[in-house]
Amino acid sequence: MIIALLTAAAFLSIPPLPDGEIYDTLSASVVTSSVKQAVPLERLATPVTTIFMKDIERKGFAAPKDFSAEIPNFMIPDYGSSMTSSVYMRGFGSRIDNPVIGLYIDDVPVLNKNNYDFSLLDIRKMDLFRGPQGTLYGRNSLCGVMAVSTLSPEYVQGGRARLSYGSGGTINASGAWYQGKFGVVAALRHTEGFFTNEYDDDKCDWGNDFYIRGRFVSDISNALHFDHGTTVSYLNQGGYPYKQLVDGNLRPISYNDDCGYQRLSITDATKLTFSLEKFTLNSISSLQILSDRMDMDQDFTSASMFTLMQMQHEYAATQEVTLRPSNHPDWWDSQSGYFGFVRFNNMDAPVTFKRDGIQTLILDNANAHIPPQIGQLAISDDSFPIADDFDIWTVNQALYHESYFTLGRWLLTAGIRLDWEWNHMKYDSRATLHYAFPPLVSEYREFTSVYDGRIRNSYWQFLPKVSAIYDTRFGLKFFGSIARGYKSGGFNTQIFSDILQNKLMTGVMNDMGVHLDGEDENAVTVKNTVYKPETSLDYEIGFRYGFASKSGHKVNVSASFFYIDAENQQITVFPAGKSTGRMMANVGQSYSCGVESEAAWSYKGLSLNASYGYTHAEFAEYFDGNYDYKGNHIPYSPEQTLSLRGSYRMDFKKGIMRSIEIGAEYTGVGRIWWNESNTRSQGWYGLLAANVSFDFGRFSIFARGENLTDEDYYTEEQTCQIHCRHQLRLLTINLL
């Protein structure tokens, strides 16, 4: 256990946020700042969890993955780097490619999942809308949307600084300044890491991050409001803490090749609001640049098997326009919109075979099918790369509309969206090796295999929604909805090395004039390079209740029940045998049903919060050609999530100290199945955390401990690789 050192930082006071924002997570009194949400949160017929800035800082949240289990049925596991920001919700999710929830930051969509792990620095609030949000948000909002609002000079003026130190040699420093129409916030983070690679006795999860965001807002005229923001982030980190599972026993982390992730991300966005006599028009434009590189020892052992390097340069432009009537009858309101983007991704993803990998994955496999009397294949290269180069274009266009009808105590919503997407990929995979096959080929001969071409597809998606909410006017509201959502299709870029490996061996045999009988029925082929969109139809009912007494008691309770039918669910699979990659496959049909509930009570300085989610998700139809998984649990997404928190704040009228607040929380997750056959899983585990803060007015001291019970748990299994997360942060000190 590591005790943190006390550090110091300056603080300039920031005026408080508007009164409506002092309510806690389940408050039904806050209107979202998103231009798309025409209806106040308390009138939405969908479950919503809101987390405010004070909660984010009180709990020491640094990235969206920290919301895991705090929100019912929501989890972003830590897979070892900021690249693998896989999102799981309500039984659905995938470890690669497109996410099941959309992410919007100040109304700007984040197009690449590699950017989902961002800094929660000066976040005013976060709204997570659970359930399909396809009508307003379109693609990749199958299970919900996370809408994030950052601090703006419209809300605050002044500055502040924050400095913290924690276990693992983790140092965070940040500062913000808001003056007039301009605001800027910046942060630095360094960690020495928590997990040791015993091969070289170095930490494998070290990291250095930098983040800066600038924002300028201005009223150009009485009718035109201008809001411009630019965000730049850079990180360089190690990874990944995988252990080998051998005969049911976990071996220490020990691998010999480099692992890590680097990312440069830039987003420049402009939001214009035209407030005219008959309507309000919003325009949101953005330019997004992502340049990143991942290095991975694919076998995670001390043997020299094979490595993966994936580097991409992505450029995207988005445009959205929403139109709302300024004058409308009391019984009807509406909004209409257009959304479109174009994205280009240049990806280089070579897999390099090393000596042990050449022998085990290539020669042993090939020679096992060659009669000994004919000969045995030999390769002279100590290593050779299978080069994979891709140029990927994606274009999306959509039109949508929602109408809101107020009929007495009822609010009815009807919406529709027409979404079109076009994808095109140019691929070029090639490899060269030197082989011999005595006695037929006694001298080493050079052989090159090439697999190149183009793939394209396009599809339309029709996304309707109907919902109703009934207000009893006694603090109790009932709601129900039916909505359709979808997750975009794509290309399996990580499987091209397997295809070329098979093509390479077949080509070598043919080059020698040797033709083997039969084909490997498990071998990946060109048909595995494309996967279809995933669609779902969600049925939901629920209620929410809010009460505030004159004596100061506040109660908020909500619960919802859902049933989801999904088609072509996207599942990350590892091809049979000793493959070098993983790929996305479509399941025929699956379903998920469950419950989500949240409750909050506060009285004076005491507050209690709880959230619980349960999901039962199964394959209704899934036969992969070898096995039938019908009736099995869908892997990776947790069956249950639980969060319990209590805190007490004591205020002082005299003295230099304004207040003391203490709090504790428990979060639990489980069970998580790791494969379609349901043979391996992570059982239930719980993490205990506690915090204490001292407010002196101009500055405050905050200390937080995480995983105080020293719990061991694991977040995934990847072909006998166990990703461990045993992370103790005993104490973190922040001065604000």
Side-chain angles (χ1 to χ4, degrees):
M1 294 185 178
I2 302 174
I3 303 296
L5 301 177
L6 182 63
T7 57
F11 175 71
L12 297 178
S13 63
I14 291 181
L17 296 174
D19 290 342
E21 302 232 347
I22 66 174
Y23 294 105
D24 216 329
T25 301
L26 294 179
S27 170
S29 304
V30 180
V31 178
T32 179
S33 59
S34 171
V35 299
K36 286 191 178 185
Q37 293 301 325
V39 178
L41 292 185
E42 68 267 21
R43 301 192 71 195
L44 284 179
T46 189
V48 185
T49 296
T50 299
I51 299 179
F52 294 109
M53 179 178 173
K54 63 184 180 68
D55 300 308
I56 293 173
E57 295 187 343
R58 176 191 297 156
K59 297 178 181 180
F61 289 170
K65 65 183 63 174
D66 294 326
F67 293 141
S68 297
E70 296 277 341
I71 300 169
N73 288 323
F74 175 79
M75 186 174 183
I76 304 180
D78 191 341
Y79 283 161
S81 81
S82 294
M83 178 181 179
T84 48
S85 303
S86 303
V87 182
Y88 301 104
M89 193 166 185
R90 294 185 168 185
F92 298 98
S94 57
R95 303 198 304 186
I96 58 176
D97 296 340
N98 297 307
V100 293
I101 70 165
L103 173 62
Y104 279 69
I105 301 177
D106 293 326
D107 291 313
V108 176
V110 177
L111 296 182
N112 196 309
K113 183 177 68 67
N114 292 6
N115 277 325
Y116 270 39
D117 190 20
F118 66 95
S119 174
L120 296 179
L121 188 62
D122 276 18
I123 300 300
R124 187 166 65 96
K125 68 166 184 159
M126 185 281 297
D127 298 316
L128 183 62
F129 304 94
R130 304 196 297 278
Q133 304 297 317
T135 304
L136 290 181
Y137 295 96
R139 67 194 304 270
N140 299 339
S141 59
L142 185 84
C143 290
V145 165
M146 180 181 291
V148 175
S149 300
T150 66
L151 279 185
S152 165
E154 293 179 282
Y155 300 102
V156 297
Q157 293 286 286
R160 65 179 192 161
R162 182 187 184 103
L163 184 63
S164 68
Y165 178 84
S167 56
T170 303
I171 301 174
N172 289 277
S174 65
W177 184 262
Y178 302 90
Q179 184 170 2
K181 301 176 181 180
F182 181 75
V184 63
V185 57
L188 287 169
R189 179 181 182 272
H190 166 77
T191 181
E192 296 176 0
F194 297 86
F195 301 99
T196 300
N197 182 357
E198 295 194 4
Y199 181 83
D200 55 14
D201 204 33
D202 289 336
K203 297 295 184 183
C204 57
D205 59 331
W206 55 271
N208 297 293
D209 302 15
F210 171 73
Y211 179 91
I212 185 169
R213 182 177 69 239
R215 193 167 180 181
F216 176 80
V217 295
S218 177
D219 289 320
I220 305 298
S221 66
N222 291 334
L224 178 60
H225 180 72
F226 177 82
D227 188 343
H228 181 84
T230 301
T231 301
V232 178
S233 67
Y234 174 78
L235 60 85
N236 185 15
Q237 57 187 204
Y240 298 76
Y242 282 94
K243 293 181 177 181
Q244 283 283 315
L245 179 64
V246 180
D247 297 328
N249 298 314
L250 283 175
R251 293 182 176 179
I253 301 169
S254 180
Y255 53 82
N256 62 323
D257 287 305
D258 292 337
C259 286
Y261 181 59
Q262 301 175 53
R263 183 185 71 197
L264 173 65
S265 176
I266 302 173
T267 300
D268 188 79
T270 299
K271 181 161 58 176
L272 300 173
T273 301
F274 300 87
S275 301
L276 304 178
E277 182 178 351
K278 294 185 178 180
F279 61 85
T280 299
L281 186 145
N282 292 282
S283 171
I284 305 105
S285 310
S286 78
L287 296 175
Q288 302 180 28
I289 299 174
L290 172 67
S291 179
D292 67 354
R293 171 172 173 157
M294 176 192 69
D295 292 278
M296 181 178 289
D297 184 337
Q298 282 282 72
D299 56 283
F300 291 101
T301 69
S302 56
S304 295
M305 299 289 285
F306 59 101
T307 63
L308 169 67
M309 186 278 286
Q310 178 177 298
M311 181 168 59
Q312 60 181 346
H313 302 286
E314 182 175 281
Y315 309 90
T318 72
Q319 176 63 55
E320 184 154 17
V321 177
T322 63
L323 184 69
R324 291 185 58 196
S326 299
N327 298 314
H328 55 83
D330 292 339
W331 61 271
W332 175 75
D333 195 1
S334 69
Q335 67 170 313
S336 302
Y338 159 81
F339 173 76
F341 78 83
V342 58
R343 177 174 63 183
F344 171 72
N345 189 335
N346 171 250
M347 182 186 297
D348 182 19
V351 172
T352 300
F353 283 87
K354 298 194 171 184
R355 189 65 249 176
D356 295 332
I358 292 172
Q359 182 64 49
T360 303
L361 301 178
I362 297 178
L363 294 179
D364 289 352
N365 286 339
N367 289 325
H369 295 86
I370 302 174
Q373 61 271 24
I374 295 179
Q376 293 287 281
L377 180 67
I379 296 175
S380 63
D381 305 85
D382 287 331
S383 68
F384 69 87
I386 293 181
D388 290 321
D389 297 314
F390 308 96
D391 288 338
I392 304 173
W393 287 90
T394 304
V395 178
N396 182 275
Q397 306 286 305
L399 294 172
Y400 59 89
H401 174 84
E402 275 197 351
S403 283
Y404 315 98
F405 305 94
T406 302
L407 305 175
R409 298 182 183 181
W410 289 91
L411 175 64
L412 309 179
T413 300
I416 187 173
R417 183 186 186 103
L418 189 61
D419 204 287
W420 175 77
E421 183 156 315
W422 175 82
N423 297 281
H424 175 274
M425 179 173 70
K426 177 183 177 183
Y427 59 90
D428 186 352
S429 298
R430 57 187 63 229
T432 299
L433 56 75
H434 300 82
Y435 78 91
F437 190 72
L440 291 178
V441 181
S442 57
E443 299 292 333
Y444 281 98
R445 181 185 298 179
E446 182 177 282
F447 182 82
T448 298
S449 182
V450 177
Y451 181 60
D452 59 359
R454 299 172 183 267
I455 307 174
R456 63 175 59 90
N457 60 34
S458 63
Y459 43 82
W460 294 87
Q461 291 292 330
F462 176 67
L463 305 171
K465 172 187 176 180
V466 292
S467 68
I469 185 168
Y470 179 77
D471 188 351
T472 65
R473 297 182 183 174
F474 298 102
L476 180 63
K477 299 179 178 68
F478 297 96
F479 62 84
S481 68
I482 303 175
R484 192 171 188 270
Y486 92 100
K487 187 153 75 87
S488 199
F491 305 111
N492 278 316
T493 56
Q494 292 192 21
I495 209 63
F496 274 77
S497 60
D498 278 20
I499 296 175
L500 192 63
Q501 179 187 339
N502 296 331
K503 183 178 176 63
L504 187 66
M505 288 299 96
T506 301
V508 166
M509 293 293 104
N510 292 336
D511 188 56
M512 296 184 299
V514 178
H515 301 280
L516 303 178
D517 295 331
E519 295 182 359
D520 183 0
E521 61 181 12
N522 293 319
V524 293
T525 64
V526 65
K527 69 179 181 180
N528 301 119
T529 60
V530 179
Y531 57 91
K532 302 175 184 178
E534 175 182 342
T535 60
S536 72
L537 190 61
D538 176 277
Y539 306 86
E540 194 129 13
I541 59 172
F543 74 90
R544 61 175 65 100
Y545 173 75
F547 171 77
S549 69
K550 294 181 180 180
S551 60
H553 290 276
K554 294 179 182 178
V555 176
N556 286 281
V557 179
S558 67
S560 60
F561 308 86
F562 62 87
Y563 179 86
I564 304 172
D565 269 324
E567 292 187 0
N568 293 318
Q569 183 185 353
Q570 297 168 7
I571 292 290
T572 306
V573 298
F574 298 90
K578 298 178 179 179
S579 66
T580 61
R582 53 189 175 180
M583 66 181 185
M584 194 74 73
N586 290 107
V587 175
Q589 289 184 332
S590 55
Y591 76 91
S592 173
C593 59
V595 61
E596 297 168 348
S597 60
E598 296 178 293
W601 170 79
S602 64
Y603 178 69
K604 296 183 178 179
L606 180 63
S607 64
L608 301 174
N609 297 78
S611 70
Y612 174 75
Y614 171 78
T615 298
H616 181 82
E618 288 187 0
F619 296 118
E621 179 184 323
Y622 182 22
F623 180 71
D624 67 357
N626 295 302
Y627 302 101
D628 188 355
Y629 299 112
K630 180 179 179 180
N632 286 11
H633 296 278
I634 298 173
Y636 309 131
S637 188
E639 286 187 322
Q640 298 182 78
T641 63
L642 174 66
S643 175
L644 303 172
R645 177 174 174 82
S647 64
Y648 182 69
R649 177 186 176 96
M650 295 175 287
D651 296 313
F652 305 102
K653 296 181 179 180
K654 297 181 179 180
I656 61 173
M657 186 178 297
R658 300 284 185 87
S659 65
I660 298 176
E661 181 175 339
I662 57 174
E665 63 184 289
Y666 172 88
T667 56
V669 174
R671 170 175 304 266
I672 304 173
W673 298 98
W674 282 337
N675 53 19
E676 291 80 10
S677 59
N678 293 171
T679 56
R680 296 193 180 278
S681 65
Q682 165 68 56
W684 176 273
Y685 65 89
L687 305 178
L688 181 65
N691 64 270
V692 59
S693 62
F694 305 90
D695 184 3
F696 295 91
R698 301 292 289 182
F699 70 94
S700 64
I701 302 174
F702 172 84
R704 178 177 173 83
E706 297 181 1
N707 195 8
L708 297 179
T709 56
D710 208 17
E711 182 79 12
D712 280 314
Y713 60 101
Y714 306 96
T715 58
E716 71 167 331
E717 178 184 352
Q718 174 181 308
T719 59
C720 294
Q721 319 288 344
I722 303 297
H723 188 182
C724 50
R725 301 307 303 173
H726 168 199
Q727 181 170 322
L728 175 66
R729 295 177 181 171
L730 178 63
L731 190 61
T732 301
I733 305 293
N734 293 319
L735 272 91
L736 301 177

